Amino acid sequence: MFSYTVSVTTGSQEFAGTNDKVSLTLVGSERCSDRTLLDKSFFDRSRGSVVSVDVSVKEILGDIVLVKLEKEKLLFNDQWYCRCINVTTPSGERLQFPCYRWIANEQEVVLRDGKGRLPQDDDMKEFRRMELESRQRLFRWKEWRTGFPLSIDANTSTELPVDIQFETAKSVDFSLNFLEAIANLGLNGFMKLFQSSWTDVADFRKVFVKIKNTVSEHVMQNWNEDLMFGYQFLNGCNPVMISKCRNLPDNFAVTQEMVESSLDRGLTLQEELKAGNIYIADYAILEGVQANATDPDTQQYLAAPFCLLYKNSQNEILPIAIQLSRQTAAEVFLPSDGQYDWMLAKMWVKCSDFNVHQLVTHLLRTHLTSEVFAIAMYRQLSAVHPVYKLLIPHVRYTIAINTAAREKLISESGVFEKANGTGGIAVVQVIHKAMKTLTYKSMCFPESVKARGVDNKDELPHYYYRDDGMMVWENLLIHRYVCSSGMKNCPQNGEFPDLLKTREQLVEYLTVVIFTASAQHAAVNFGQFDWFAWVPNSPSTMRKPPPTQKGQVDMKYIMESLPDRGRASWHVGAVWALSQFQDGELFLGVYPDKYFTEQPVMEATTTFRKKLAEVTNIIKSRNEKLKLPYWYLSPDRIPNSVAI
């Protein structure tokens, strides 16, 4: 008799054991073992429990190529999570079979050893084909809304394959989560006065909660200063709108005379444009979008403003002109205007910025694109493919969070429309427009900052989003820590590549996937409470039309424009809930599930972690010298995947 020792490691983050019967079969190149029942008394409810069993055979099985697990349902389906299986052969050879899957119903799971294999090098091509066909039946494409990126074919979270569902404590119901946040923040009383306006800007302190948050308190105290307004285009929650302005748009009616008093170098506007000191934030994407009309009792409005920004001689970014309409004869608001005119003009820009952030920067360009990558990975790559092993930590919970969002957040009558000016039909209209600019190169971080003309550190200092983003991008690229059908609505001239011919192209593509799911999402998600909690700084909607003339607004008009008590409460509760790290969050470079078993890959992972730690220390040292630290792209605060 010959004995094979099999060690089974059980346990997800929450569950380990099962009351059902689980049996195991070793499949060798020459013969198979008999089914061996794993004694259920071995299983307990702690993560990482190890069950060991000896499998005795009369003859050597040959090279162990597969391990089969089968679960027999007893009275009810008791799901079991298997982390990995180690097999020690009679000769002492130790083989690892990664699993990291739920076994449900009366399911058979077949595992291959942890060695990465490309299709052309795989001697089990038929098994590989069957695996992918099975996955393609589970992970089906669907166009949730016309013009959106394709998504998973599931209407509710419970319809998802069990392996990509949230575990119980991580399940998401946006309505309940936001209501719980509102209650925890003490905002319930204001919800009863839902459509009642505030009387003064200071009243928003009643829905602003101090939670030892340096940034949000600083915003509350300085939100109306032009310097704070300009700074947010660099390092706020939506740091992707600022672009170098070489030529003014034809329908932007700003003139030299209007901005002369704001220019401190003694140059004309044209000279400052030529010198590269003028920047612009253009919200053209909101032109013609129908504002949220889901509440018949509250009229809501949108604008598509231009905001001209100036880098002064102290390298500060300041607003110098705002035009709220696209018409060439439109009024241009200036810092020299009356207090309320300029205040309201900036509020309109920030309202537009907030809504573009939510739908384009955040939803489309991190959540929805990451889901496309995830589905393509599951459909096209075998579990032994090296790229599958590389990417799977970076798609964790992404399909689940997006399914929950489609079900409860951006759906008709969803939470999104309770507070935001782009609720209702505007969601679809904005995504349609944004898809026309979603190109592959626009998702390559260096290309995106270069295209906006903001890549030069000397020309535009203190742009920490760019600087930190480049450090993370380069480390992903250098250390190789680094499908197209889901992007069918993208512009033809910017298609995502469907063929990668060189190693360099593959590395760039995988870097895009990982950077988008980790760093880019972190940069535009986890600062939401910091920058949006003070409602006047980033109104989620406006209830009065944008002013068309100067000198006609007062504080009463401004308060009637800003979100009412109920919408302000929904807004603060939402940005609070969306900004929280999850229990058991896994940050960039932390991979507890060992999909790779080869020593060179494990060494590369260790080196990658060390490099990320160096980046973290660089950012920490810089932040210690800053009044307002920027930490969103510090690797120790970048989750691996889009999961909130």
Side-chain angles (χ1 to χ4, degrees):
M1 296 292 288
F2 300 92
S3 180
Y4 292 78
T5 301
V6 181
S7 297
V8 183
T9 305
T10 70
S12 67
Q13 286 193 327
E14 296 180 27
F15 300 106
T18 181
N19 292 309
D20 291 344
K21 292 181 179 179
V22 178
S23 61
L24 175 147
T25 304
L26 300 180
V27 179
S29 57
E30 298 181 15
R31 56 188 59 85
C32 301
S33 71
D34 293 332
R35 292 172 58 187
T36 300
L37 186 66
L38 302 182
D39 190 331
K40 66 181 181 181
S41 65
F42 288 156
F43 297 105
D44 66 24
R45 294 279 169 179
S46 61
R47 175 184 170 98
S49 302
V50 179
V51 179
S52 293
V53 61
D54 289 331
V55 177
S56 297
V57 296
K58 294 180 180 179
E59 298 179 85
I60 292 292
L61 303 178
D63 295 333
I64 304 299
V65 294
L66 298 172
V67 174
K68 287 185 180 180
L69 292 170
E70 297 174 83
K71 186 167 78 68
E72 178 183 345
K73 184 172 68 174
L74 297 179
L75 296 177
F76 59 93
N77 178 36
D78 189 10
Q79 294 182 157
W80 175 56
Y81 189 87
C82 177
R83 295 181 60 78
C84 61
I85 293 177
N86 292 326
V87 178
T88 303
T89 69
S91 65
E93 181 184 12
R94 194 168 184 268
L95 305 172
Q96 295 175 271
F97 293 80
C99 184
Y100 306 108
R101 292 180 57 184
W102 288 97
I103 301 177
N105 300 313
E106 295 177 281
Q107 182 183 5
E108 177 186 87
V109 171
V110 181
L111 306 178
R112 300 183 66 182
D113 68 69
K115 182 181 178 181
R117 295 177 179 85
L118 295 173
Q120 63 269 27
D121 302 323
D122 199 340
D123 55 2
M124 300 184 67
K125 290 183 171 59
E126 181 62 18
F127 178 85
R128 197 176 189 119
R129 181 187 64 79
M130 294 171 60
E131 175 193 17
L132 290 177
E133 287 179 352
S134 175
R135 288 236 217 94
Q136 288 163 6
R137 289 191 292 269
L138 283 175
F139 293 85
R140 302 176 304 277
W141 292 110
K142 179 181 180 180
E143 191 171 29
W144 181 69
R145 292 284 187 271
T146 302
F148 273 54
L150 298 190
S151 55
I152 193 76
D153 183 10
N155 295 317
T156 65
S157 299
T158 57
E159 295 177 12
L160 295 173
V162 65
D163 286 319
I164 63 169
Q165 291 182 22
F166 286 124
E167 295 184 13
T168 304
K170 183 66 177 66
S171 62
V172 171
D173 184 323
F174 287 102
S175 300
L176 294 178
N177 286 359
F178 291 177
L179 283 171
E180 182 180 355
I182 289 169
N184 290 342
L185 297 173
L187 307 180
N188 279 338
F190 300 112
M191 294 291 286
K192 299 175 183 177
L193 305 169
F194 192 87
Q195 291 171 326
S196 175
S197 297
W198 305 93
T199 57
D200 188 81
V201 168
D203 287 346
F204 282 101
R205 291 176 182 267
K206 297 174 182 177
V207 292
F208 178 79
V209 182
K210 291 185 179 181
I211 314 179
K212 295 183 179 179
N213 187 308
T214 303
V215 178
S216 62
E217 292 181 18
H218 189 85
V219 171
M220 179 188 68
Q221 295 163 3
N222 301 281
W223 69 277
N224 197 33
E225 295 179 4
D226 288 355
L227 184 60
M228 171 57 69
F229 179 89
Y231 176 84
Q232 292 176 70
F233 286 100
L234 298 180
N235 301 312
C237 204
N238 193 27
V240 301
M241 297 303 297
I242 186 172
S243 297
K244 178 71 67 68
C245 183
R246 295 293 189 183
N247 297 288
L248 294 170
D250 292 339
N251 53 344
F252 194 176
V254 64
T255 65
Q256 159 68 24
E257 292 72 25
M258 292 179 183
V259 300
E260 185 174 8
S261 62
S262 295
L263 309 178
D264 70 353
R265 292 184 179 87
L267 303 177
T268 66
L269 177 57
Q270 285 301 319
E271 289 170 336
E272 293 282 18
L273 285 164
K274 187 176 180 180
N277 295 321
I278 302 296
Y279 295 83
I280 193 169
D282 186 349
Y283 298 90
I285 194 170
L286 294 177
E287 184 178 11
V289 173
Q290 180 183 333
N292 189 343
T294 59
D295 182 355
D297 297 323
T298 302
Q299 183 79 35
Q300 298 178 65
Y301 299 87
L302 292 171
F306 294 112
C307 181
L308 203 64
L309 301 158
Y310 177 55
K311 186 191 72 170
N312 66 17
S313 57
Q314 285 76 48
N315 287 324
E316 299 166 335
I317 297 295
L318 299 169
I320 60 173
I322 293 172
Q323 182 176 305
L324 301 179
S325 167
R326 315 299 290 188
Q327 299 176 0
T328 54
E331 189 72 85
V332 177
F333 294 91
L334 307 168
S336 56
D337 291 340
Q339 172 188 356
Y340 299 127
D341 286 333
W342 185 234
M343 178 190 293
L344 185 56
K346 289 190 293 181
M347 287 177 171
W348 267 105
V349 171
K350 292 298 293 178
C351 179
S352 301
D353 189 80
F354 174 84
N355 281 283
V356 170
H357 166 271
Q358 293 293 341
L359 289 181
V360 182
T361 309
H362 186 206
L363 175 64
L364 174 61
R365 286 184 166 266
T366 63
H367 278 260
L368 300 186
T369 54
S370 291
E371 181 176 4
V372 170
F373 295 139
I375 297 171
M377 182 203 76
Y378 282 115
R379 287 177 58 85
Q380 300 302 130
L381 299 178
S382 165
V384 297
H385 199 296
V387 173
Y388 179 95
K389 293 170 177 285
L390 179 71
L391 291 184
I392 195 164
H394 301 285
V395 302
R396 179 174 179 255
Y397 293 146
T398 298
I399 299 175
I401 193 68
N402 287 358
T403 301
R406 286 186 289 270
E407 186 180 359
K408 296 288 182 69
L409 186 63
I410 58 174
S411 59
E412 293 182 11
S413 303
V415 178
F416 189 85
E417 66 186 31
K418 293 184 182 298
N420 297 343
T422 47
I425 189 61
V427 172
V428 176
Q429 292 177 335
V430 172
I431 295 295
H432 279 191
K433 288 189 169 191
M435 285 296 292
K436 296 177 181 178
T437 64
L438 182 60
T439 63
Y440 173 64
K441 285 301 182 183
S442 73
M443 295 189 69
C444 296
F445 189 78
E447 295 284 345
S448 68
V449 294
K450 185 176 182 180
R452 292 189 286 115
V454 293
D455 53 315
N456 190 308
K457 291 185 179 182
D458 294 329
E459 290 183 0
L460 188 61
H462 315 308
Y463 193 7
Y464 308 125
Y465 163 75
R466 173 203 59 207
D467 300 341
D468 297 356
M470 284 302 302
M471 285 193 290
V472 174
W473 174 275
E474 288 166 357
N475 275 284
L476 286 168
L477 199 66
I478 292 170
H479 296 286
R480 302 301 189 261
Y481 255 83
V482 288
C483 333
S484 64
S485 61
M487 300 295 192
K488 71 183 186 70
N489 295 307
C490 293
Q492 291 300 308
N493 63 350
E495 287 183 346
F496 287 70
D498 54 10
L499 181 64
L500 301 169
K501 297 181 179 180
T502 68
R503 181 188 296 269
E504 288 70 25
Q505 289 175 339
L506 174 62
V507 168
E508 182 185 68
Y509 195 93
L510 297 179
T511 301
V512 167
V513 175
I514 296 174
F515 186 90
T516 299
S518 57
Q520 185 62 21
H521 180 256
V524 302
N525 180 75
F526 293 104
Q528 290 193 70
F529 187 79
D530 291 350
W531 297 102
F532 299 157
W534 180 246
V535 178
N537 183 62
S538 289
S540 58
T541 190
M542 297 295 264
R543 297 177 297 134
K544 287 281 190 180
T548 57
Q549 294 180 332
K550 299 179 183 181
Q552 296 189 343
V553 303
D554 54 15
M555 183 54 71
K556 181 175 183 294
Y557 187 94
I558 289 176
M559 298 314 300
E560 290 174 350
S561 297
L562 290 173
D564 51 40
R565 285 172 164 83
R567 287 178 174 82
S569 298
W570 271 112
H571 169 87
V572 175
V575 299
W576 165 254
L578 292 173
S579 299
Q580 304 308 301
F581 292 118
Q582 302 303 306
D583 292 339
E585 194 78 79
L586 298 176
F587 295 97
L588 193 58
V590 177
Y591 308 120
D593 294 349
K594 307 299 182 184
Y595 288 95
F596 285 107
T597 60
E598 296 93 333
Q599 189 62 31
V601 182
M602 291 188 280
E603 290 173 359
T605 304
T606 300
T607 300
F608 179 54
R609 284 202 202 97
K610 289 179 180 177
K611 291 295 183 181
L612 291 178
E614 291 174 9
V615 173
T616 297
N617 289 333
I618 291 171
I619 293 172
K620 181 180 179 182
S621 297
R622 180 203 63 207
N623 283 344
E624 289 173 351
K625 303 170 187 175
L626 297 178
K627 180 185 297 185
L628 209 55
Y630 184 86
W631 55 262
Y632 309 117
L633 284 170
S634 181
D636 62 335
R637 302 198 188 193
I638 299 176
N640 276 327
S641 62
V642 176
I644 181 60

